[in-house]
Amino acid sequence: MSHLPYSPTRVLISSNTVNSSSGITDNGGVFYPSVKMVVNIWGDYVDGHINSATTYVDSDYILIGGGARVSDLSNNSSNVNALLTAAYPVNDNSFYFYNAASKDHIQFYNHRLWVYAIGVKFYLYSLKSRAYYPLDRNVLLPYFSINTTSTAVAQHPHGISYAPSGYTVLSGGALLTWQNPSGGNMLVENGISDGGAPIHFTESTGKDHITATPAVLQTFTLSINNNLIYVGPLDIQQKITSTFNVQHLQTLTQTTDPGYLLAGIGANTSYSGSGRMLYAMYPLDGQTNFIGGKDHVWSDISGVLQSEIYEIKLP
């Protein structure tokens, strides 16, 4: 793509670099890693009571994941009253864009929707010139894939999206669409995987709340053919943690293992009463995520809030 759209509110959230364990030692005993991997995170926002937002990685990066969160108009998420209805990588073969959507429900609530895009870039070391050079993203794009599935219309739709054979999941996504203008269907689960190795699918779930609102749920899986030319296979792992829901707004953070950087985020909130839904699943930085779930209008302090990290490291 020759150019990307300009947004005055788009910001770089975080930049992290890790090095390969293999490399070259010069005559002076200085070690130069053969590959450097940079993971950057960008964020952007829109304001309103029903929101849709898009952000993107820089033109020389490849999208590998993203996230979204609801805040008030001062960027505080500690007492919000809106919910996520989408957070997903755009399946347009560009690997630039990440979308999110949110809405108030039953009760009017003007709020801010933040959307985040996680991108990766690789640098190779040249002994001849003694410098690092960026690896052209177009050389690597054939190794990445986004797959999408759609459910039938349902009040509590549940979807699964599989990576192609031989690919490993880096992140997931979900998008809910419905017809009832006075209702809504919100995310309960997004980007949760099976815990297997290699990671080969993600799941998502939505639900209506108080007002019956059947919806179609699209589930996205962003994956990699993990034999990158000039780089080699990445070390891709999945970590899961959870906490009991003990308050109306329950939160959870999770951090990558040492030497790993964040690629994707999964979130799920269970319940046994009227329902709980997601209002946040986003990267705080290149190694830490934040998950938030809540009840809404009707009290339901039950179930578990689950966080999942997809983490990557160079060989």
Side-chain angles (χ1 to χ4, degrees), residues 29-45:
V30 179
F31 176 76
Y32 295 92
S34 56
V35 184
K36 289 181 178 288
M37 179 175 67
V38 181
V39 171
N40 281 3
I41 299 168
W42 292 267
D44 206 344
Y45 67 87

Side-chain angles (χ1 to χ4, degrees), residues 192-201 203 238-240 308 310:
I192 291 293
S193 189
D194 60 324
I199 313 160
H200 65 287
F201 69 82
E203 299 185 59
Q238 170 195 40
K239 294 177 60 179
I240 299 174
E308 185 164 3
Y310 301 85

Side-chain angles (χ1 to χ4, degrees), residues 164-187:
S165 177
Y167 283 64
T168 301
V169 173
L170 292 176
S171 62
L175 166 64
L176 286 157
T177 55
W178 61 91
Q179 299 298 319
N180 182 356
S182 63
N185 206 293
M186 285 68 66
L187 289 176

